[in-house]
Amino acid sequence: MKILLLILAICPLYITYGQTCYGKYDATMTGECLSPDACGGSLLDGRSCEGGTCCISQTLTSTATPCITEKDFAALYPTPRAPWLRVALNAGMNLAGICSNCQAKAAFLAVAATMTNDFQIDEVQGTDGQFAGDDFSYGNSQSGDGSLFRQRGFFPFRGRTTYTQLATLMPQYAILANPQLAALINISAQIAGQRWKTPNFLTGPALTQYADGTFYGFSMLWYNLTGGIDKLSDATLRYAKFLNNSQCGGGELYPGQGPICQYNTTHKGTCTPDCIQGLEDGGEYCGCSGGKGEQCPNSPPHVICCLDTCSQELKLDLGIVMDSSGSVGSSNFQLQLTFVRDLLSKVNVGENKTHVGIINYSTNVQTLTNLNKDYELRQKIQQVNKANFIGGSTNTAGALQQANTVFSPANGLRPEGEGAQPLIFLITDGQSDDQTATINAAAVLKDNGIHIVTVGIGNSLDLVELTAACTPPAYENYFPMSNYAALDQKIAQFTSKVCSEPAPIPENTTVTGECGKDKYKFLKIKIIKVGNKFMIKIKLFNGKVKIFFSFKSRNPKDPADFLTYKPKRSTATKNAPVVDDESELVLDKPNADVEFVYLGVKGVEDDNQFEVNFDDCANVFCKSSASTMTISMVLISICIALFLL
């Protein structure tokens, strides 16, 4: 008898699948109880499905331009439901006008995936009692409104006020009479596309302006949609995933920066997204490293006025190539000089920081200064001030060939392990003497790992040459000088990106570094599939540092840097014992397909200098000892503090 009762208790969880179910507010909406993966349509709250979902079958015809291909979407969500979702989402993205913008498409998908729990629900599930707390909120005015006007669809909205606005904007759907229609994926996608264009339904700029591949931009996008930051960390991780797997060419998500703000009565700062709980494995997306001010106006609470936005010491090998040919003209040449002086003031020029080489050219090519000369900012600006407008022809190919000489070890190009990213700003109108030679000369530099940004100057720009010479994609690395605000924002975005880039370290090598108080030095070490362990040795020359490791985050950071930080898992972060001036760590190589181990070194005192050595255990004998700590792969990141006594 007990066995029979047990069977009867369990069976309802299974026998409801395939049974008929109905829309709660419209009995003509019929479907069947199915699991999300088996649903060819929309997933409504299936209270009659014993806690499952009610699948409303739909036939969707693809008539819109395919913003995301079947292959790409199936790679992200390999479920039988993918074809229906893709057709609906393509329609929404077409309405939003973002089919050709991969960063905007990634943001659109991230919002939709977050609001539907990775496309597992199309309306929030629960009983009337569970929504009773919203009965008199969000414009609701009577008992039951909380459930009736609950959250539905790909983009967030709830409450009678919002549903009324939606009904006015889209009168072809009787959404106010039957709010559950908003959960049908064909209608939901149309609502999402409309909300993208007008986030507040009736007013507001399109969200495309915020979809720039940065955490700052995505934070502003989410805030404009939701009015807060609830679920923002989950949405951000999905945005990073979609950027990396979309037509953005394996793009990464970077911190980004907002407008200039007033930090205090004497100093200005930059609106910057600080780290929030849930992004512990994505520390490269966020952070204000010093001088945290107030919340920026019209911004989410974690976007603050930051005096110093760079988590690690900004370090570039920067080249500036200026066009002083006749086609540019003397007035535009003066504009170039102003731009260059402004650029130099923002990139942390100094002997152990950013090094600068400057070339001025027309028919002939003149090197004003090399990377390994005149390290101070004032010295570089003096060289800029000496540059003369020459006139003559436009030998851009020769200037880029000379840049290849400037960017050589003999003239100061630093080894990869020092973490100085090579970057050239080519400022020209694109009207070179030999376009093919110019593009080929730029290709040589790019093949050597040098990032090129082209800046169009003048009234007659050759966009073919300007976009071909820069590092792809061109929409990220070409800007016209006439759009100075966009160019200034580009510089801010690029420095933000460089600030979060870990320096690649060859295996079995030793590197030295330094960092100031609360600053980081980020390193990445390629994992060689030889042996099952590798050793990291850290030696201090001056100061105190903390060390953090991760196999996921490119920027492992101190958990204390995250707002309202609460450890989510017991194995996420562990403190190692305090050691003297030297320590050895032996790490197990991960079993998963992980390419790098990442290291974050955080300065404790004003001046911290250290040496790090990496050895694969195929070349050294790795064993545990009193001064050696073995770290298991189960740790996502670990921390040790080093003190030089």
Side-chain angles (χ1 to χ4, degrees):
M1 184 65 177
K2 291 182 179 179
I3 294 175
L4 177 61
L5 291 175
L6 179 61
I7 292 173
L8 291 174
I10 294 175
C11 282
L13 299 177
Y14 297 94
I15 62 176
T16 56
Y17 283 121
Q19 289 187 352
T20 301
C21 54
Y22 303 91
K24 179 174 181 179
Y25 302 103
D26 183 353
T28 64
M29 295 175 64
T30 61
E32 59 180 327
C33 300
L34 291 174
S35 67
D37 287 347
C39 179
S42 303
L43 295 163
L44 275 58
D45 187 355
R47 289 175 55 210
S48 60
C49 299
E50 298 294 340
T53 48
C54 183
C55 174
I56 308 297
S57 296
Q58 293 176 267
T59 301
L60 302 181
T61 303
S62 179
T63 58
T65 302
C67 302
I68 182 169
T69 66
E70 182 177 354
K71 178 181 177 182
D72 288 342
F73 193 72
L76 292 169
Y77 289 98
T79 71
R81 194 177 179 228
W84 285 271
L85 288 168
R86 189 180 66 84
V87 171
L89 291 166
N90 271 331
M93 288 187 279
N94 270 277
L95 179 60
I98 58 175
C99 247
S100 60
N101 186 328
C102 69
Q103 293 174 330
K105 288 189 292 185
F108 188 100
L109 289 172
V111 173
T114 301
M115 299 314 300
T116 59
N117 289 346
D118 281 329
F119 305 111
Q120 296 294 297
I121 58 170
D122 290 314
E123 68 175 344
V124 176
Q125 313 232 335
T127 64
D128 289 353
Q130 289 172 313
F131 290 101
D134 288 347
D135 281 349
F136 298 94
S137 301
Y138 308 104
N140 295 330
S141 58
Q142 60 190 33
S143 297
D145 273 4
S147 179
L148 179 62
F149 298 109
R150 68 180 70 179
Q151 163 64 44
R152 296 182 175 95
F154 294 130
F155 272 37
F157 63 92
R158 62 176 170 172
R160 182 182 288 273
T161 297
T162 305
Y163 274 82
T164 301
Q165 292 173 333
L166 181 59
T168 302
L169 191 65
M170 305 178 72
Q172 68 271 35
Y173 304 117
I175 290 176
L176 196 59
N178 183 6
Q180 209 162 19
L181 288 171
L184 300 181
I185 60 174
N186 60 320
I187 299 176
S188 172
Q190 295 295 309
I191 295 171
Q194 190 63 53
R195 288 213 66 190
W196 186 276
K197 294 192 294 184
T198 53
N200 297 321
F201 287 109
L202 301 177
T203 60
L207 297 175
T208 304
Q209 64 175 315
Y210 301 121
D212 59 1
T214 70
F215 180 49
Y216 169 78
F218 191 69
S219 295
M220 294 299 296
L221 184 152
W222 190 262
Y223 184 66
N224 274 269
L225 271 177
T226 69
I229 62 172
D230 185 41
K231 296 186 178 180
L232 173 59
S233 59
D234 292 336
T236 299
L237 295 175
R238 289 184 175 95
Y239 187 34
K241 170 186 173 181
F242 291 140
L243 282 172
N244 192 256
N245 290 278
S246 70
Q247 296 169 348
C248 297
E252 302 284 358
L253 178 63
Y254 291 96
Q257 297 176 6
I260 300 299
C261 51
Q262 194 67 44
Y263 177 74
N264 57 25
T265 56
T266 58
H267 292 81
K268 293 186 180 297
T270 305
C271 290
T272 302
D274 208 354
C275 292
I276 59 174
Q277 183 182 357
L279 291 183
E280 293 83 4
D281 289 336
E284 60 268 32
Y285 310 149
C286 56
C288 173
S289 63
K292 296 185 180 183
E294 299 295 323
Q295 177 182 346
C296 286
N298 304 314
S299 300
H302 68 293
V303 174
I304 58 176
C305 191
C306 184
L307 191 61
D308 187 354
T309 62
C310 202
S311 294
Q312 64 177 336
E313 205 76 65
L314 181 61
K315 184 186 285 188
L316 300 169
D317 279 340
L318 174 65
I320 299 172
V321 181
M322 302 187 297
D323 183 348
S324 63
S325 64
S327 60
V328 168
S330 60
S331 60
N332 280 323
F333 183 73
Q334 293 303 315
L335 184 61
Q336 282 187 74
L337 298 183
T338 300
F339 167 72
V340 171
R341 285 189 287 261
D342 188 37
L343 174 63
L344 293 179
S345 69
K346 298 177 179 178
V347 293
N348 197 35
V349 175
E351 184 168 359
N352 295 313
K353 303 173 183 178
T354 292
H355 295 175
V356 183
I358 304 174
I359 292 172
N360 189 31
Y361 77 96
S362 62
T363 306
N364 298 315
V365 179
Q366 178 186 14
T367 300
L368 300 178
T369 181
N370 278 310
L371 295 171
N372 58 356
K373 186 178 180 182
D374 305 324
Y375 292 114
E376 299 303 318
L377 175 61
R378 61 175 182 80
Q379 294 175 309
K380 295 298 182 182
I381 290 180
Q382 285 173 356
Q383 296 302 318
V384 173
N385 293 338
K386 291 178 182 179
N388 296 315
F389 175 68
I390 303 171
S393 62
T394 311
N395 184 17
T396 308
L400 292 175
Q401 289 164 0
Q402 180 62 23
N404 206 25
T405 300
V406 169
F407 275 72
S408 65
N411 289 310
L413 182 67
R414 285 171 282 188
E416 188 178 46
E418 291 194 27
Q421 181 166 336
L423 165 68
I424 289 176
F425 274 82
L426 170 61
I427 312 170
T428 178
D429 59 6
Q431 299 184 41
S432 67
D433 300 339
D434 188 334
Q435 185 178 91
T436 301
T438 296
I439 294 172
N440 289 340
V444 171
L445 290 165
K446 289 182 282 189
D447 287 344
N448 290 337
I450 298 170
H451 193 103
I452 299 178
V453 174
T454 54
V455 181
I457 184 78
N459 300 318
S460 300
L461 302 177
D462 187 328
L463 295 181
V464 173
E465 181 173 306
L466 287 164
T467 55
C470 71
T471 296
Y475 65 81
E476 286 190 2
N477 294 301
Y478 161 70
F479 278 86
M481 182 74 77
S482 58
N483 191 351
Y484 201 89
L487 184 58
D488 193 54
Q489 182 69 12
K490 170 62 188 174
I491 295 171
Q493 289 179 8
F494 193 87
T495 55
S496 170
K497 177 178 178 180
V498 172
C499 283
S500 64
E501 277 299 312
I505 306 301
E507 69 276 6
N508 306 322
T509 190
T510 299
V511 298
T512 58
E514 59 182 80
C515 54
K517 185 175 182 179
D518 294 328
K519 287 283 190 178
Y520 286 87
K521 178 68 176 178
F522 298 118
L523 308 170
K524 67 176 181 181
I525 310 100
K526 190 173 182 64
I527 297 174
I528 306 299
K529 300 297 183 181
V530 179
N532 60 356
K533 297 179 184 294
F534 56 92
M535 180 184 291
I536 300 177
K537 297 179 181 179
I538 306 102
K539 183 177 182 180
L540 273 172
F541 300 122
N542 190 58
K544 304 176 182 179
V545 297
K546 293 181 179 179
I547 312 293
F548 303 90
F549 297 91
S550 177
F551 294 105
K552 292 184 177 180
S553 173
R554 301 195 311 273
N555 291 176
K557 291 181 178 178
D558 190 338
D561 290 350
F562 291 80
L563 297 177
T564 62
Y565 175 81
K566 296 177 182 178
K568 284 190 169 184
R569 33 179 114 73
S570 61
T571 59
T573 304
K574 184 175 288 186
N575 293 321
V578 176
V579 297
D580 294 326
D581 62 336
E582 186 172 346
S583 180
E584 292 182 357
L585 300 176
V586 177
L587 276 67
D588 289 336
K589 291 183 179 178
N591 295 322
D593 186 19
V594 177
E595 188 175 5
F596 296 101
V597 60
Y598 298 96
L599 175 69
V601 183
K602 182 181 182 181
V604 175
E605 296 188 344
D606 292 335
D607 181 24
N608 308 281
Q609 299 175 354
F610 55 89
E611 176 184 273
V612 183
N613 174 265
F614 303 92
D615 280 310
D616 189 276
C617 290
N619 300 306
V620 296
F621 179 60
C622 294
K623 66 177 183 178
S624 299
S625 66
S627 61
T628 303
M629 182 178 178
T630 301
I631 309 299
S632 170
M633 173 51 193
V634 298
L635 299 183
I636 291 175
S637 64
I638 61 171
C639 160
I640 68 169
L642 289 155
F643 300 89
L644 184 63
L645 302 176

